[in-house]
Amino acid sequence: MSKRRLMFLGPPGAGKGTQAQRLADDLGIPQISTGDMLREARRKGSELGRKAGEFMDAGELVPDSVVIGIVKERLEEADAQNGFILDGFPRTVAQAEALAAMGVELEGVVNIRVSQAEVLRRLGGRLTCPGCGASYHEEFSPPNVAGICDKCGGELVRRPDDQPDAIRQRLESYQAKTAPLIAFYDRLGSLIDVDGEGAPSLVETRIREAVD
Ligand code: AMP
């Protein structure tokens, strides 16, 4: 049977969100995206959302304590008891240690590999739906109707953190703080490397095979 306690790792623009959503739908388990949860908190205007917002727009990581708290609560919900896909968490070794301390043992950490050149190309044209979190690309994966989300009809936007300066900062944060997780999970024997280049449907097939 498919692994069901999964985490998706990879640089910004690797396709984590898109692929996590597809596999989660397929397996009938929730996709738990800290980026989506933080954006939702911002939309609601909560204190947490306000605090996180400044870090997010600058392309910096939100402090560990904030993110660890929201993931802990989310993992306690009923729909997460039979499996989940963590998307965008953990992003630091301290977060990975906190997850282990919660008693969560990941069955697989899917490391989506893409080149730096590809990441820049993808993030440059990314469009996101603020309503449902779906993402598109102006050139490689456009919506059926320009500017409108296929899934919920929402108006698509370019995220503030998809502007050039913020993209640079996100890549730096990834290299400095998140990339060390590759070795961390490799040591635990849970790392699954997947080639993230090519059409989304091709990457989806590779991931399916990797987690079966
Ligand atoms: P994402 O949608 O996963 O690209 O996340 C968007 C932004 O949310 C990131 O650039 C961070 O500012 C913040 N964020 C999301 N997940 C985390 C995390 N696990 N740790 C710290 N910051 C996070």
Side-chain angles (χ1 to χ4, degrees):
M1 200 178 95
S2 222
K3 296 185 169 65
R4 300 176 68 86
R5 299 164 80 81
L6 298 163
M7 195 273 265
F8 278 26
L9 186 62
K16 291 188 297 293
T18 304
Q19 296 297 341
Q21 191 172 39
R22 289 182 184 205
L23 186 63
D25 287 351
D26 204 22
L27 297 178
I29 54 179
Q31 169 201 12
I32 299 181
S33 157
T34 40
D36 285 350
M37 287 193 283
L38 292 168
R39 279 185 288 276
E40 175 69 10
R42 269 186 105 174
R43 231 181 345 262
K44 289 188 177 148
S46 70
E47 176 63 21
L48 181 144
R50 265 197 301 278
K51 256 197 263 171
E54 288 176 28
F55 293 98
M56 294 170 77
D57 286 349
E60 286 169 22
L61 293 184
V62 172
D64 286 336
S65 58
V66 174
V67 186
I68 290 166
I70 61 173
V71 170
K72 189 166 192 302
E73 270 184 28
R74 180 66 187 85
L75 286 175
E76 282 165 4
E77 286 177 32
D79 67 341
Q81 303 317 306
N82 193 24
F84 50 78
I85 299 182
L86 287 172
D87 161 17
F89 180 93
R91 254 185 167 94
T92 64
V93 170
Q95 291 176 17
E97 285 167 346
L99 184 66
M102 290 173 211
V104 174
E105 254 183 57
L106 296 171
E107 294 170 303
V109 173
V110 176
N111 181 35
I112 308 182
R113 290 191 175 273
V114 285
S115 68
Q116 173 113 340
E118 178 67 9
V119 160
L120 291 172
R121 226 157 54 100
R122 290 185 186 180
L123 293 179
R126 179 153 80 174
L127 295 170
T128 306
C129 176
C132 72
S135 74
Y136 301 85
H137 192 281
E138 281 168 347
E139 200 183 328
F140 312 124
S141 157
N144 294 327
V145 177
I148 303 294
C149 179
D150 293 349
K151 299 211 169 100
C152 75
E155 204 168 312
L156 302 178
V157 299
R158 187 176 304 279
R159 281 169 31 178
D161 59 344
D162 281 340
Q163 306 295 339
D165 277 356
I167 289 176
R168 253 190 306 280
Q169 179 58 51
R170 285 163 71 203
L171 290 172
E172 265 177 46
S173 298
Y174 171 78
Q175 281 307 337
K177 298 185 174 154
T178 309
L181 291 178
I182 298 173
F184 181 95
Y185 284 113
D186 197 20
R187 268 197 301 277
L188 292 179
S190 39
L191 196 75
I192 305 170
D193 266 319
V194 172
D195 176 3
E197 306 232 359
S201 56
L202 182 62
V203 178
E204 185 182 354
T205 305
R206 291 184 193 129
I207 293 175
R208 271 255 44 146
E209 283 168 4
V211 302
D212 259 344

